[in-house]
Amino acid sequence: MTETVTQHDGTAGAGRTPDGTEDPESRPPRGRRGRRTALIVSAVVVVAAVAAIGALGLGGGPEERTAAPPRSGSTVPVTRATLTERTSVDGQLGYGAELPLPVKATGTVTWLPEPGAFVERGGELLRVDDRPVTLLYGSLPMYRPLGLTAQEDGAGGADADPPGSSGPSGSSGSSGEDRTKGGAGRTAPTPSGSPAPGGAGTGGNASRAPRELRGMDVMQFETNLAALGHTGFTVDERFTSGTEAAVKRWQKSLGIPQTGTVAVGDVIYSPGRVRIGQPGVRLGAAVGENTLTYTGSSRKVVVNASAADAAWAVRGATVTIGLPDGTPVKGEVTAIGRQATAPGGGGEGGSGQGGAAATIPVTVAIKDQKAVGRLESGPVTVEYVGREVKDVLTVPVAALVALAEGGHGLETPDGRFVAVKTGLFADGKVEVSGSAVREGMKVRIPE
């Protein structure tokens, strides 16, 4: 008979009975195996939690925070500079308000220039009864005729010799040379009993020399006459026979009668050349107060500045004008209105509809007219200097960070935060100060 031997070598026969079935005693207990599996899973969870806490930075000592990688972002130095606050307001480019020409000629308007035309010294502004009204340069208006015989006897005043005095020529119709020794102002009778020639009975005014008109208006006119090339006289306050001769030559060049006398309506004075505005009458109409308007010939900008914030508007202040194409042009404040006006007719110092702020007109002159190009009108911006601080510590505005305890601070490259006090913001920079801030120190600009 054959004997079956069971080998316990730990291989396929291990834990089995001699008949080949599994031995229940050799099976490991089920409870111990479950506990071992649970311990392994718990260890994995703990390791993952520790890793997560380390990633969030919620655990560990100072050494671990220092070892953390630095935050990204560029660094810039704290610099010392001057900051200037600039403010822009809207303005309107043009030639200024149109004003009526002081036309003193009377009659019918027979010619008008085109609107927008420029008229210089000696040019025609318009024609009245087909007679030109000429532009001359000056500030004193034409208020009387100019000529040797323009003033009647007895008018007196500083512009002519007093009645009874000798004229500039040194003679008079009743001078001492025409009197007899005992006549006491009477002319000696002729043998026929009639007065001597030139006496009172023969219309003595006919033999008197014309009076010379005097005054600042004469000098102003003679200055223009000489500038137009009509000379032969001395530019002074006396209208002499030489002035009269020059006036006749001037009148001949204009194609008008050569009288040697300038009528009040023949001339209009202006400080310089003018630009013609819109006419107030049509050809064939009578001359009126608004026959023709004009402006200056230089382009300028008018700003309706807030009356409550117009401290920048000081005569002579320099500003920068931004043209519609972005070109910057230098300007200078030349006039500031004295009356505040509110939108909606609020009146002086009022606050129009909806509480709109009152404004005052500010005129800005442009010295370099060529810089404006051919642009005659349009919206522009006017930039002026508000506040200015010099020799202060500055950083880019982007370097400021909000601190948890309030206020602002700067972050150093090593991650520290330094509290600062801010001042003027201008040109993308900000004024900073504080005990821990110094020139040249590096600060971080977060991305």
Side-chain angles (χ1 to χ4, degrees):
M1 91 181 273
T2 303
E3 183 179 2
T4 303
V5 179
T6 303
Q7 297 180 354
H8 297 276
D9 55 0
T11 57
R16 295 182 179 272
T17 61
D19 59 0
T21 62
E22 183 178 4
D23 186 359
E25 297 295 329
S26 65
R27 184 183 303 167
R30 182 173 299 176
R32 293 173 57 190
R33 184 179 182 181
R35 287 196 297 272
R36 185 163 52 246
T37 302
L39 288 174
I40 294 173
V41 172
S42 299
V44 172
V45 171
V46 170
V47 171
V50 171
I53 292 173
L56 293 174
L58 300 178
E63 293 79 7
E64 292 177 303
R65 289 197 298 270
T66 304
R71 298 172 62 189
S72 62
S74 60
T75 60
V76 294
V78 177
T79 59
R80 189 172 295 276
T82 296
L83 292 184
T84 303
E85 181 186 57
R86 302 179 185 275
T87 304
S88 294
V89 293
D90 294 332
Q92 184 69 30
L93 176 69
Y95 288 92
E98 294 186 359
L99 303 174
L101 275 171
V103 182
K104 296 183 179 180
T106 58
T108 301
V109 177
T110 54
W111 178 81
L112 289 169
E114 290 292 329
F118 293 93
V119 181
E120 299 181 346
R121 177 171 21 211
E124 291 187 16
L125 293 168
L126 72 161
R127 296 181 76 92
V128 178
D129 290 347
D130 203 29
R131 183 183 180 95
V133 177
T134 306
L135 175 69
L136 298 180
Y137 294 168
S139 58
L140 189 63
M142 190 76 171
Y143 65 91
R144 62 176 179 175
L146 299 178
L148 287 177
T149 58
Q151 186 172 355
E152 297 179 357
D153 292 343
D159 299 318
D161 299 319
S165 65
S166 60
S169 61
S171 62
S172 174
S174 58
S175 65
E177 295 177 357
D178 296 330
R179 300 171 184 169
T180 60
K181 292 183 180 181
R186 298 177 182 272
T187 55
T190 61
S192 61
S194 62
T202 61
N205 288 340
S207 63
R208 297 176 62 187
R211 295 183 183 275
E212 291 182 355
L213 211 59
R214 300 184 182 184
M216 290 301 298
D217 58 334
V218 175
M219 176 178 285
Q220 179 175 267
F221 176 77
E222 288 183 339
T223 300
N224 282 271
L225 203 58
L228 293 173
H230 304 287
T231 57
F233 56 90
T234 301
V235 177
D236 54 17
E237 298 182 15
R238 300 170 58 193
F239 194 107
T240 64
S241 58
T243 309
E244 182 184 53
V247 169
K248 290 181 178 180
R249 293 192 295 271
W250 173 59
Q251 290 173 329
K252 182 179 180 180
S253 68
L254 296 177
I256 59 177
Q258 303 171 41
T259 62
T261 300
V262 185
V264 173
D266 289 345
V267 170
I268 293 178
Y269 285 103
S270 169
R273 73 170 187 163
V274 299
R275 177 179 178 272
I276 300 300
Q278 296 297 325
V281 298
R282 295 183 178 181
L283 294 181
V287 174
E289 293 183 358
N290 297 314
T291 299
L292 190 61
T293 61
Y294 76 102
T295 66
S297 61
S298 298
R299 286 161 291 184
K300 61 189 70 174
V301 173
V302 176
V303 176
N304 290 323
S306 170
D309 189 23
W312 63 272
V314 179
R315 188 184 299 272
T318 300
V319 298
T320 300
I321 301 167
L323 299 180
D325 61 358
T327 302
V329 177
K330 294 297 182 183
E332 180 180 324
V333 176
T334 56
I336 304 99
R338 295 180 179 273
Q339 181 174 357
T341 304
E348 183 175 359
S351 59
Q353 298 178 352
T359 60
I360 58 174
V362 178
T363 302
V364 179
I366 303 174
K367 293 183 177 180
D368 186 4
Q369 291 287 305
K370 293 182 179 180
V372 187
R374 302 183 64 179
L375 187 65
E376 293 192 348
S377 62
V380 296
T381 59
V382 174
E383 184 183 78
Y384 62 88
V385 175
R387 291 194 301 151
E388 185 177 72
V389 291
K390 297 182 178 181
D391 195 31
V392 295
L393 297 178
T394 66
V395 295
V397 175
L400 287 180
V401 293
L403 300 179
E405 62 270 22
H408 294 90
L410 301 174
E411 183 180 359
T412 61
D414 59 2
R416 293 183 299 107
F417 290 91
V418 178
V420 295
K421 181 179 180 181
T422 59
L424 179 64
F425 288 76
D427 300 328
K429 296 184 177 182
V430 57
E431 173 190 1
V432 292
S433 60
S435 58
V437 184
R438 66 182 185 279
E439 182 179 0
M441 70 177 292
K442 299 289 187 177
V443 296
R444 197 180 70 84
I445 298 181
E447 288 185 350

